[in-house]
Structures are given as structure tokens and as C-alpha cells.
Amino acid sequence: MYTLICAVQDLALLALFITGLVLLEWQIIVFPIVIYILVPFLNELIYNFFAKLLFTIEKEKKWMDNRYYQQEQQNKYTENLPIMYHYKYNITACGIEKLHPFDSVKYGRVFNILKEKGFMQEQNFYKPQGKVGRGLMLNLGMSQLYLLYLNYAAYISKCIEIPLFFLPASFLRWKVLDPMMFSTQGSIDAAVLSLKRGWSINLSGGYHHACRQSGGGFCIYPDICFAIEYLRKFVGIKKCMIVDLDAHQGNGHERDFINDKENTFILDFYNHSIYPADFQAAKGISLSKNVDCNTSDSEYISMLRMTLKKSLDEFKPEFLLYNAGTDCLDGDHLGQMNLSRNCIIERDQIVFEECLKRDIPLTMVLSGGYQQINAPVIADSILNLDEKLKIKNYSRKKVQNL
């Protein structure tokens, strides 16, 4: 609805601006420009007011209890795989999305491969019921000023690293922000599912450069932070661990949890010589390892196995969010690492194996990856998890009461 309102406003102002150009009336030309700059302030005040008014913690808890209880009664917890996917995850904008190297439709490609291989069917998975709500975002600490910035095409362009400042912000909201909001809700829902099933995968998400105050690196909404904060606020989970194995530093969630090392352990393997080189955010990391083009498969696997085991045994998290970026694959010009397909598959297996044998619920999100081979590798990795760890039949020992 908010996107539609913004679109109508943009079209009206554009029509007025064109009229001014045709009539050569500078007053008519300037007026819509001024209104275009000022109207988001009014929109945000009204939208935030009603979002706060209508949202309550009790209502959100009731919605969550009803939703998952009903699905449990219908045996969907045993019939459905704890995998979140929605076709609206995929970002398509008349080909404009191809200006960025990120494969913005890899989510659908992974889903289709898993379906073709017989791992998934058309209906045996979960879908987020909609976009993450404004009231929930505000309740989870999202900055109102940041939400205001997202009404301007110039700021959105900066975050997604594509020069689209000349397009109406409502178009970018419709084609870029809305899919990311679906994915963000998917990460939250997947985290809740993992508490019942022991594991879950959101076939999107992992916007680890976004925090509650700003975005960047093709990341707008801090789904990792939201998923963890949601479990804390609405389920009672306290100690959470983030394992970020994307090639880039996860500066978004590190900024969000920089002052909460007691309850949030961040293990980050990343190439220290590439974007974002956020030294302030790095203070939020509990344990980091530098990986680059000289790191071999065997070195990487050995380092991961040792540090993950030690971190899990010492910190003892109640929930783990796994940011499984695949931009560390050989040939990725942005990740600048040289890990093989088999290394990525073994990497994911190690994370799942170490969590499942300790009965630590985990949620995996896909994060970065800038080659066409990423989707097949992700799909093969999920298939391997079922082949080696039998995740389809996994039952959690300590089921969390929702």
C-alpha cells in the first residue's frame, strides 16, 4: 500500500512537472520538485504513527502463536521442509538489475534446481506471508531517519550501487525494496521455524552490510539482526551466534551488536583487503579470520572446523544464524578468493553438522555470490546436506515452545 501511495504521488508530480515544461512556467516546474523532496517527511510521519499505533507485542505474539500452532496441528511441520521461499524474492526491473554483478534472481534458480532434482515439491515448503511490517521493523529498532532516506532514489542508488537516481523512488521501492522486505520476513520466519525443526534455510536474505541505521553493498534491510532480535523479543532466546562465511565483512550486523558481545558471538571469515574494510564495525567481531586468494581449500576447512568447534563449545549459543555467502568461490572478482565448489559444499556441511549434533537450531541465509555458477553450487550443497546429514528426517531433541 505504501509503495502504491508513493507511486501515485510520483506520477502526479511528474505530470505537473511536464506540464510546467510544456508551458515554460518556472513556478510550475519548481513546485513539484519541492513537493517531491518534502512529501516523504509527511508520508513517514503518518505511516510511522499508524504503524506504531496498530502494532503491539501482544498482537505479534498472538499472530506468531496462531500461525505456527495451526501449521503444527495440520502436520505441516513434518510434511513441509523448513525452507522459506517466495517468487517475490527475485529482483527484476526491466533488465536494470543486470547493471550490478549480483545475481538477483539466484533465489528462484536455486529453488527450481532443487525442485528438478526432486528434493522439493511445489508446495512442501514455507512462504513468508508478506513483507516485513513497518510496525515490526520499528519495534526491532529500525531507524526512522533511515526509513525516511529510503524514500529518495539517490540514497537507494547509493545502497544498491547502481546509478538509478533519475528514476522515481517508488519504482525502486516496488522493484528492489519490496523483494528485500519479503526476503527479510523470510529470514525472521525461518529463524522461528528452526526452533521447532532444528534447522531452516531461507533461499534469500543475508543482507549483512545493512544495519538498523544505514544500508550499503546491495543490502537494505538488516534481516540478520531482525531475525535475532525477533527471537529475543518474542520467543525469549538470549545467546545467539552469527557465523558469517561470505567473502566480505559483515559490517551491518557487527555494528548492530557491537555493544552486545555477552549475548552475541560473531565469527567472521572474510577477505580483509576488500569492501567494506569497516574497522569500526570490526570491533563487534568476537573472532575473525582473514581469507584471500592464497587460502587453499584444505587451509580453509581446517581453520573453519577448529574455530567453529571451539566457539560453539565455549559460547554455547541457543541459536545460530549462518550467513552462507558463495562469493568466496574461485572466479568471483568481488570476493577475490579461490575456494572450490567442493570446499563450499563441505563448508556448509561442517556448519550444519556441528550445530545439529549439539542440538543448536540454525538458520542459513544465502547472502552474496556474483557468478552464474552460484545457484547450482548452493543447490548441490543443500542436496549434500540431505545426503550426508539426512536433514529431511532430522528431529530436534529439545523442541522450543512457541
Side-chain angles (χ1 to χ4, degrees), residues 61 64 68 136 140 187-195 224-240 318-321 361-363 400 402:
K61 283 184 176 180
M64 182 186 70
Y68 292 105
L136 178 58
L140 295 176
S187 293
I188 295 171
D189 289 348
V192 176
L193 274 175
S194 73
L195 301 182
I224 292 175
C225 169
F226 281 171
I228 289 174
E229 286 298 319
Y230 191 93
L231 294 185
R232 285 174 171 163
K233 184 160 286 191
F234 298 102
V235 183
I237 297 295
K238 290 184 179 180
K239 297 187 71 175
C240 298
E318 300 171 76
F319 169 77
L320 185 144
L321 199 146
L362 79 156
T363 293
Q400 180 78 31
L402 301 180

Side-chain angles (χ1 to χ4, degrees), residues 7 40 80 94 98 131 145 190 210 220 257 302 358 369:
N80 282 5
C94 307
K98 295 179 181 178
K131 300 177 290 186
L145 183 60
I220 300 291
F257 296 119
S302 175
R358 291 173 173 80

Side-chain angles (χ1 to χ4, degrees), residues 210-321:
C211 66
R212 287 176 282 194
Q213 309 295 326
S214 62
F218 211 78
C219 300
I220 300 291
Y221 300 102
D223 66 313
I224 292 175
C225 169
F226 281 171
I228 289 174
E229 286 298 319
Y230 191 93
L231 294 185
R232 285 174 171 163
K233 184 160 286 191
F234 298 102
V235 183
I237 297 295
K238 290 184 179 180
K239 297 187 71 175
C240 298
M241 185 170 176
I242 299 170
V243 175
D244 193 336
L245 302 185
D246 186 276
H248 299 84
Q249 177 192 359
N251 61 320
H253 55 74
E254 288 159 11
R255 282 184 173 271
D256 278 332
F257 296 119
I258 195 169
N259 295 317
D260 188 30
K261 284 193 174 183
E262 182 180 353
N263 292 311
T264 308
F265 188 102
I266 298 175
L267 174 63
D268 198 348
F269 280 34
Y270 65 97
N271 188 337
H272 290 195
S273 63
I274 62 174
Y275 175 90
D278 191 335
F279 300 109
Q280 177 62 29
K283 296 177 181 178
I285 302 174
S286 305
L287 178 60
S288 73
K289 296 291 184 179
N290 179 39
V291 286
D292 54 29
C293 60
N294 297 313
T295 305
S296 68
D297 287 0
S298 58
E299 289 174 329
Y300 185 89
I301 291 299
S302 175
M303 186 164 53
L304 173 62
R305 196 183 296 275
M306 180 178 62
T307 55
L308 182 60
K309 281 183 177 181
K310 183 178 179 181
S311 299
L312 289 172
D313 290 339
E314 292 181 357
F315 185 69
K316 294 181 172 57
E318 300 171 76
F319 169 77
L320 185 144
L321 199 146

Side-chain angles (χ1 to χ4, degrees), residues 71-340:
Q71 291 175 341
E72 188 176 28
Q73 294 303 303
Q74 295 168 7
N75 293 321
K76 287 188 176 181
Y77 274 105
T78 55
E79 294 174 4
N80 282 5
L81 293 170
I83 292 178
M84 300 296 304
Y85 174 72
H86 200 294
Y87 73 93
K88 291 186 178 179
Y89 283 179
N90 300 288
I91 300 174
T92 57
C94 307
I96 295 174
E97 73 281 355
K98 295 179 181 178
L99 294 174
H100 194 282
F102 183 73
D103 182 4
S104 62
V105 295
K106 74 176 180 182
Y107 321 117
R109 294 177 61 219
V110 173
F111 174 77
N112 288 332
I113 295 171
L114 292 174
K115 197 167 62 169
E116 290 168 4
K117 296 291 182 68
F119 179 77
M120 297 178 67
Q121 299 172 10
E122 195 59 44
Q123 298 299 329
N124 73 332
F125 61 96
Y126 290 87
K127 296 180 181 178
Q129 297 302 300
K131 300 177 290 186
V132 60
R134 176 66 66 97
L136 178 58
M137 286 196 290
L138 293 173
N139 189 267
L140 295 176
M142 192 71 158
S143 164
Q144 294 185 46
L145 183 60
Y146 176 41
L147 289 172
L148 172 63
Y149 291 161
L150 294 177
N151 285 273
Y152 298 101
Y155 188 81
I156 298 174
S157 297
K158 172 181 172 293
C159 291
I160 63 175
E161 301 175 337
I162 305 176
L164 301 177
F165 52 86
F166 54 89
L167 291 174
S170 56
F171 177 81
L172 296 180
R173 177 177 290 277
W174 173 38
K175 286 297 186 178
V176 179
L177 269 60
D178 283 359
M180 290 187 178
M181 292 178 76
F182 269 97
S183 297
T184 298
Q185 185 63 53
S187 293
I188 295 171
D189 289 348
V192 176
L193 274 175
S194 73
L195 301 182
K196 282 282 189 180
R197 299 291 295 274
W199 65 275
S200 65
I201 300 173
N202 182 24
L203 295 182
S204 185
Y207 304 131
H208 66 154
H209 298 308
C211 66
R212 287 176 282 194
Q213 309 295 326
S214 62
F218 211 78
C219 300
I220 300 291
Y221 300 102
D223 66 313
I224 292 175
C225 169
F226 281 171
I228 289 174
E229 286 298 319
Y230 191 93
L231 294 185
R232 285 174 171 163
K233 184 160 286 191
F234 298 102
V235 183
I237 297 295
K238 290 184 179 180
K239 297 187 71 175
C240 298
M241 185 170 176
I242 299 170
V243 175
D244 193 336
L245 302 185
D246 186 276
H248 299 84
Q249 177 192 359
N251 61 320
H253 55 74
E254 288 159 11
R255 282 184 173 271
D256 278 332
F257 296 119
I258 195 169
N259 295 317
D260 188 30
K261 284 193 174 183
E262 182 180 353
N263 292 311
T264 308
F265 188 102
I266 298 175
L267 174 63
D268 198 348
F269 280 34
Y270 65 97
N271 188 337
H272 290 195
S273 63
I274 62 174
Y275 175 90
D278 191 335
F279 300 109
Q280 177 62 29
K283 296 177 181 178
I285 302 174
S286 305
L287 178 60
S288 73
K289 296 291 184 179
N290 179 39
V291 286
D292 54 29
C293 60
N294 297 313
T295 305
S296 68
D297 287 0
S298 58
E299 289 174 329
Y300 185 89
I301 291 299
S302 175
M303 186 164 53
L304 173 62
R305 196 183 296 275
M306 180 178 62
T307 55
L308 182 60
K309 281 183 177 181
K310 183 178 179 181
S311 299
L312 289 172
D313 290 339
E314 292 181 357
F315 185 69
K316 294 181 172 57
E318 300 171 76
F319 169 77
L320 185 144
L321 199 146
Y322 173 36
N323 195 48
T326 49
D327 49 3
C328 38
L329 273 167
D330 181 26
D332 194 300
H333 297 299
L334 296 183
Q336 297 179 27
M337 291 169 58
N338 288 318
L339 302 185
S340 69

